[in-house]
Amino acid sequence: MSELSKSLRERAAESISQLRHAVSEFKNVCYANSLGSESMVLTDLIWGAAPEIGREIGPNIGQEIEIFSIDTGRLYPETYDLIDRLQQRYGRSLKIYYPKADDLEGWVGKNGINGFRDSPEQRRGCCGVRKVEPFRRALSGRSAWITGIRRGQSASRALAAPVEWDGAYGLHKVSPLLDWSENEIWEYIRKKRLPYNTLHDSGFPSIGCAPCTRAVQPGEDARSGRWWWERSESRECGLHPRRLTPAVGAAVRAPKH
Ligand code: SF4
């Protein structure tokens, strides 16, 4: 395995410090793993890299942070393979949440198997049943959730803060990778030979449900491959609505190194 550069080790150490502060400050913390490239870095920071990179004595974040993912039932086969490879690498299992069967049967019965293409409202309805409801269940009882969003991913995410009060879900939202560049994400993945979704090698910067994600051209916004038949401003997934405010005192902002 290649050595991480000094700057990347410092970047990773800062993110681990944010994670440790989140555990100390908020106690009951979970990580919503989207299985994208950023998620491979965050999974490694939580499950694999803390003893190697983290210099401080602090909470064992691998034990303290539950990592979960949502299986909407419409994921790519490559994504299921990735879940299996993560399990093999770390010897641990993601907690997987599924849509409620009754809700899904009702929605499909009313709107059709691909009814999410008919209007933004129906698309949000499908996301609501397949993603948002299981996501709410996963966050239930938690005091903070962690996400792998980066400022460079979209105009709306550029406005995010490292710690925000997430009024939509009623808990804090912590984003330890906000300042990572895409190049840094991939340098970390390649140098540590982490598993990643092989669709990234075919032009998919962002991978969600199979019928709603496609490859993008070089230079296009990374999120432009999602719900491409809709206007761009309506394309957030529902899990990151922009109704957030910075947390008071930005309690888990990492100290500068
Ligand atoms: Fe449904 Fe597409 Fe949303 Fe997946 S991304 S939940 S298939 S609308």
Side-chain angles (χ1 to χ4, degrees), residues 20 52 123 180 245 256:
R20 284 183 168 148
E52 173 193 339
R123 192 269 292 172
W180 287 57
T245 53
K256 295 286 181 204

Side-chain angles (χ1 to χ4, degrees), residues 72 74 116 122-124 126-127 130-131 209 211-212 227:
T72 64
R74 299 295 297 256
F116 47 81
Q122 280 179 241
R123 192 269 292 172
R124 282 191 280 272
C126 182
C127 284
R130 292 184 186 272
K131 289 200 282 197
C209 292
C212 300
W227 310 299

Side-chain angles (χ1 to χ4, degrees), residues 87-115:
Q87 187 167 328
Q88 289 179 29
R89 177 171 177 120
Y90 296 105
R92 307 181 63 153
S93 298
L94 297 175
K95 166 79 175 170
I96 307 287
Y97 287 85
Y98 294 89
K100 285 184 176 172
D102 286 353
D103 292 353
L104 187 54
E105 287 171 11
W107 193 90
V108 170
K110 180 180 175 195
N111 297 283
I113 196 73
N114 286 338

